[in-house]
Amino acid sequence: MKIFTLISLWLGAASILSAGAPTQPTLTRYSKLWINSVFTTKPDPVTIEAQNPLEDYALGGISKLEDGYYAILLNKKKPEDKVVIYPGQKNEFEVLDVKWPSGSWRDAVVTVRSGSTTGTVEFDDKLLTVKPTQVATPKGPSKSAPKPTVNGAKPTSSSSNRTPRPRVVVPKK
């Protein structure tokens, strides 16, 4: 045990004596950071892929005419906005091809061109659902409607025009 202690002391002393004095770092040590700082360097240009404008549209209807196809495109974000494509008319969109894989109208796939972008548009079941309309209710009171009561009192007969008195409960002594 004493031998190991002596050897470790000799090695420690040898390493201390062989080590030189610390030196001050040069000013050019961090010169790369002066030029390429995170705060002053412009980021690399990011290439942004052009968005396909057809991704925002779903097929609302398609019909074959003599000189081409009549199509309705629905905007998925704003379903009330519609684009109608007539054959032979200049429009932002143009129908290139229509395929019915199974013969059903729901499976129709329409190839559409918008400028230099070409893509396919299909029916979207979420946009095709018919929203129920609200039935208008008459604004005047109906004769079959029950009369309103005040504080739980019984309704009065239709012949009297007086309003019922509120019910008062007298506490027991």
Side-chain angles (χ1 to χ4, degrees):
M1 188 83 160
K2 289 183 183 183
I3 296 175
F4 292 121
T5 308
L6 286 173
I7 293 174
S8 63
L9 283 174
W10 281 97
L11 289 175
S15 65
I16 290 174
L17 293 175
S18 67
T23 59
Q24 186 172 2
T26 62
L27 288 175
T28 59
R29 181 175 181 184
Y30 298 106
S31 64
K32 291 180 183 176
L33 292 178
W34 295 346
I35 299 170
N36 297 326
S37 171
V38 176
F39 302 106
T40 60
T41 306
K42 292 182 181 178
D44 294 334
V46 178
T47 57
I48 299 174
E49 294 181 21
Q51 275 190 325
N52 185 357
L54 297 171
E55 291 177 357
D56 293 339
Y57 288 94
L59 188 61
I62 187 76
S63 181
K64 173 91 171 117
L65 300 177
E66 292 176 5
D67 54 344
Y69 286 97
Y70 169 83
I72 299 174
L73 303 180
L74 303 174
N75 192 331
K76 291 179 183 178
K77 295 177 183 174
K78 299 177 188 175
E80 61 273 358
D81 293 346
K82 298 176 185 177
V83 176
V84 180
I85 304 171
Y86 295 102
Q89 285 188 346
K90 293 286 185 179
N91 195 351
E92 179 185 357
F93 299 97
E94 179 185 0
V95 176
L96 300 178
D97 187 30
V98 178
K99 295 180 183 175
W100 280 281
S102 66
S104 172
W105 63 271
R106 285 188 179 242
D107 297 331
V109 178
V110 179
T111 305
V112 179
R113 178 175 36 206
S114 172
S116 62
T117 307
T118 303
T120 59
V121 181
E122 299 176 353
F123 283 106
D124 188 3
D125 289 334
K126 294 176 188 173
L127 296 175
L128 294 178
T129 56
V130 178
K131 296 177 183 174
T133 58
Q134 295 179 351
V135 177
T137 57
K139 294 187 179 184
S142 65
K143 294 183 179 181
S144 62
K147 300 281 185 188
T149 61
V150 178
N151 294 335
K154 294 180 183 179
T156 59
S157 65
S158 61
S159 63
S160 87
N161 290 333
R162 121 186 130 91
T163 58
R165 293 186 334 186
R167 182 177 170 190
V168 178
V169 178
V170 179
K172 295 181 182 180
K173 294 183 181 182

